[in-house]
Amino acid sequence: MDINLKGRIHFKHVYATNMEDWGVLAFPLSQNATDAGRHYQRGAPVLLAIPLKPKVVAGPVSAEVCGRIFAVCTLAVIAGAATREIANPEMVRQYPHVVDQWSTALPIVKLWRLPEPRPYSEFGQELVETARIRRGQLIQLGEPAAEVRDWLASLRCEEAGLTHSSRVKAFLSRMGR
């Protein structure tokens, strides 16, 4: 995994595992993407997890990933980016209610699927409680960050292919990705 493990590590609940199809990480009304982007450091890992009891949003989620970290990604920041404008247009057409509920997003630059999804409860009750309270928001890890760094450093994952909208492709090209 080509990822910066020296800086911040973030965590985010999502309600689908097909992040590569969307090409973006969408945010709830309680935290828009612009605000999340202000606290995100380019190249920092974001742990993606399915809640223990997820709502069905864009199709069913396999029970084997509930309550677990299933992927890691890095993000780009486009201020004020509406999910409808930067997500894969096919997914926007298929799930318009999703982009209405999670109306802002940040592009995913790189995505790695974990060979074995890991229960995030293993990283302590503080993470579980913070994730429950700030469900769907991008949160910076506190205390378990060192343990998470060691775990991420030990993983061997292949980078997943991403489907990006033309706007995101142009943005990433300008960024030099």
Side-chain angles (χ1 to χ4, degrees), residues 46-63:
V46 179
L47 308 176
L48 301 178
I50 298 291
L52 192 55
K53 296 177 183 173
K55 10 178 186 175
V56 176
V57 174
V61 174
S62 169

Side-chain angles (χ1 to χ4, degrees), residues 26-108:
F27 290 85
L29 297 175
S30 61
Q31 180 189 45
N32 70 48
T34 300
D35 290 341
R38 285 188 189 108
H39 303 284
Y40 180 77
Q41 182 180 24
R42 186 176 177 187
V46 179
L47 308 176
L48 301 178
I50 298 291
L52 192 55
K53 296 177 183 173
K55 10 178 186 175
V56 176
V57 174
V61 174
S62 169
E64 66 190 27
V65 294
C66 293
R68 295 173 181 265
I69 300 164
F70 70 92
V72 179
C73 71
T74 61
L75 304 170
V77 177
I78 299 178
T83 304
R84 185 172 306 289
E85 296 171 5
I86 67 168
N88 173 356
E90 180 55 38
M91 298 306 284
V92 171
R93 276 190 295 281
Q94 193 171 354
Y95 299 104
H97 64 283
V98 170
V99 297
D100 290 340
Q101 189 167 357
W102 289 274
S103 58
T104 63
L106 295 176
I108 297 173

Side-chain angles (χ1 to χ4, degrees), residues 5 7-11 47 69 118-130 139-152:
L5 294 176
R8 298 175 182 159
I9 297 176
H10 301 274
F11 176 94
L47 308 176
I69 300 164
R118 183 170 178 177
Y120 55 86
S121 61
E122 291 180 2
F123 295 114
Q125 193 59 34
E126 180 185 333
L127 174 58
V128 172
E129 281 304 306
T130 303
I139 55 176
Q140 185 177 331
L141 291 186
E143 200 172 301
E147 184 182 352
V148 171
R149 273 187 192 77
D150 292 343
W151 171 61
L152 290 175

